[in-house]
Amino acid sequence: MTYLNHLNDRMKEHDLTVKHMNNTLNLATLGKTNVLSMLDSGYRRGIELHNEKVSNNRYILNIIINCVRFCGAFELALRGHDEKDTSLNPGIYRGLLSFSAELDNALKVHLEKATHEISIEIKKADYLSITADETTDVSAIFQMVIVYRYIVKDNVVERFWGFLKPKAHNAEVLAECIKEQLDQHIGNETNKLIAQTYDGASVMSGNINRVQAKIKFHYSNANYVHCYAHQLNLVMANAASINRNVRIFFASLGGFCSFFSTSSQRTAILDEVVKKRLPRAAPTRWNFHSRTVNTVFEYKEELIICMDKIINDESIKYTQTIEQA
């Protein structure tokens, strides 16, 4: 009974003890703290390394973007005439990037190790798939891009490998170009390539004497996966091509874009008279055709004036240009 009479005083004294305060704090944070981060120093270090890698990648990407912005601000070409490692003049963009690397050691290390690390990862991976796409840019230069997909530590990763410049736009050359890149990574391990995917262009996807068939011949496990994004376009294009008049219409429509894109002089007159560039038609993107139709329809009168000016321009000496106009 004596202890109960002094219970209130004892409770106040207990509330002020260090042990009670620590227990109260632990109770308040119970369930709100990641136990792994508190107990496992290796786990915490892994998080720190991941954050450091993310920060470094963002830093490198920021430098590369700034180099692109610099070239764009002064209307400088990104591509050089010869971009090989042994070239003395690889172009403004690559030259600017190399100069930045000389000033920044982090960028220099990244440029030296990035490609090498991808090769090592591919060699260690059990399986590999490849994605390739080919196109002609605004400078009328044909190029192809390659992306690899594989598994690293139970995670599926995609790695951009690079831009290639095939010598011709046919199945034989494109397939050989892809095979040369694959030989660098998997060599005689032909069973390692289990998938390939390209756009819907016939030169790439046809099952007889096309790129995917030629790759399948060398890599028997390389099953072809059709590009999902182009399925609707191919359905519409194939359906429309049954009508001969439709085929002629779109063939003629594509001629407008080709006529201006292959000559800076013609493009200058187009900018002066029409003040509108014609969107290039893409064989695997139906919406590009509709954009071209709308542009030609809207600027029909201006295009006629533009063609007349090209025909009567005394500075234009090529008879083919006059004939096409």
Side-chain angles (χ1 to χ4, degrees):
M1 193 68 181
T2 304
Y3 290 108
L4 292 176
N5 291 334
H6 299 282
L7 178 62
N8 189 42
D9 295 334
R10 295 292 181 270
M11 290 176 61
K12 291 180 179 179
E13 292 176 2
H14 178 75
D15 289 345
L16 299 176
T17 61
V18 176
K19 185 174 182 180
H20 174 76
M21 292 181 181
N22 289 334
N23 290 334
T24 302
L25 181 62
N26 291 335
L27 178 62
T29 58
L30 181 63
K32 299 180 181 179
T33 304
N34 191 325
V35 177
L36 289 176
S37 63
M38 297 181 64
L39 299 179
D40 190 349
S41 59
Y43 181 79
R44 293 201 309 271
R45 181 56 182 164
I47 294 177
E48 292 174 359
L49 292 174
H50 173 75
N51 292 336
E52 290 176 3
K53 186 175 182 179
V54 170
S55 299
N56 183 68
N57 288 342
R58 288 177 176 173
Y59 176 74
I60 298 299
L61 185 60
N62 182 63
I63 297 177
I64 295 175
I65 291 175
N66 285 334
C67 290
V68 175
R69 291 177 60 194
F70 176 87
C71 293
F74 293 96
E75 299 183 358
L76 302 173
L78 291 178
R79 181 183 291 105
H81 177 69
D82 182 6
E83 295 186 346
K84 297 179 181 177
D85 294 336
T86 56
S87 174
L88 297 177
N89 184 16
I92 296 174
Y93 170 69
R94 290 200 61 174
L96 179 61
L97 205 58
S98 299
F99 177 70
S100 300
E102 294 298 325
L103 302 177
D104 193 302
N105 188 61
L107 177 61
K108 183 177 182 179
V109 171
H110 173 79
L111 295 178
E112 291 175 349
K113 292 186 176 181
T115 302
H116 182 62
E117 290 177 357
I118 293 176
S119 298
I120 293 177
E121 287 181 346
I122 292 177
K123 288 184 184 339
K124 291 181 178 179
D126 295 326
Y127 302 104
L128 175 69
S129 66
I130 185 172
T131 300
D133 197 5
E134 37 78 35
T135 186
T136 302
D137 64 13
V138 295
S139 302
I141 296 178
F142 178 70
Q143 58 185 357
M144 180 169 64
V145 63
I146 285 182
V147 175
Y148 293 120
R149 195 177 195 194
Y150 49 91
I151 297 176
V152 176
K153 296 180 181 178
D154 296 329
N155 294 317
V156 178
V157 297
E158 283 188 347
R159 299 285 190 253
F160 166 76
W161 179 246
F163 288 100
L164 308 175
K165 295 180 181 178
K167 297 179 181 178
H169 187 190
N170 57 62
E172 289 76 12
V173 173
L174 295 179
E176 187 60 31
C177 189
I178 293 174
K179 187 176 180 300
E180 287 177 359
Q181 301 303 311
L182 290 172
D183 287 343
Q184 297 180 28
H185 306 298
I186 60 179
N188 295 326
E189 298 180 85
T190 56
N191 293 332
K192 193 170 185 175
L193 185 68
I194 61 172
Q196 54 175 323
T197 180
Y198 316 115
D199 64 15
S202 60
V203 70
M204 302 294 285
S205 61
N207 60 358
I208 300 177
N209 293 327
R210 300 303 182 183
V211 172
Q212 71 96 2
K214 293 181 180 298
I215 295 298
K216 179 79 171 178
F217 177 79
H218 294 285
Y219 305 91
S220 57
N221 291 341
N223 297 305
Y224 173 64
V225 181
H226 196 287
C227 178
Y228 183 80
H230 294 145
Q231 288 182 350
L232 176 61
N233 171 78
L234 290 174
V235 170
M236 298 178 68
N238 290 336
S241 63
I242 296 176
N243 188 308
R244 181 174 179 274
N245 292 330
V246 173
R247 288 204 310 271
I248 295 174
F249 172 77
F250 282 108
S252 302
L253 191 69
F256 282 95
C257 306
S258 301
F259 177 74
F260 288 105
S261 65
T262 55
S263 170
S264 59
Q265 191 175 18
R266 302 173 196 169
T267 302
I269 298 177
L270 179 70
D271 292 339
E272 178 186 349
V273 178
V274 184
K275 297 180 175 61
K276 176 72 175 181
R277 294 286 180 93
L278 297 178
R280 289 183 61 85
T284 55
R285 295 177 177 85
W286 183 263
N287 62 310
F288 277 54
H289 290 291
S290 63
R291 289 169 54 189
T292 307
V293 170
N294 292 332
T295 303
V296 172
F297 178 79
E298 183 178 355
Y299 295 93
K300 176 182 176 182
E301 299 300 328
E302 290 84 350
L303 284 170
I304 293 175
I305 296 173
C306 180
M307 296 299 180
D308 288 336
K309 184 167 184 177
I310 292 175
I311 293 172
N312 297 317
D313 193 329
E314 295 183 357
S315 64
I316 296 179
K317 305 299 183 182
Y318 296 104
T319 56
Q320 184 179 8
T321 297
I322 300 174
E323 177 186 354
Q324 291 177 351

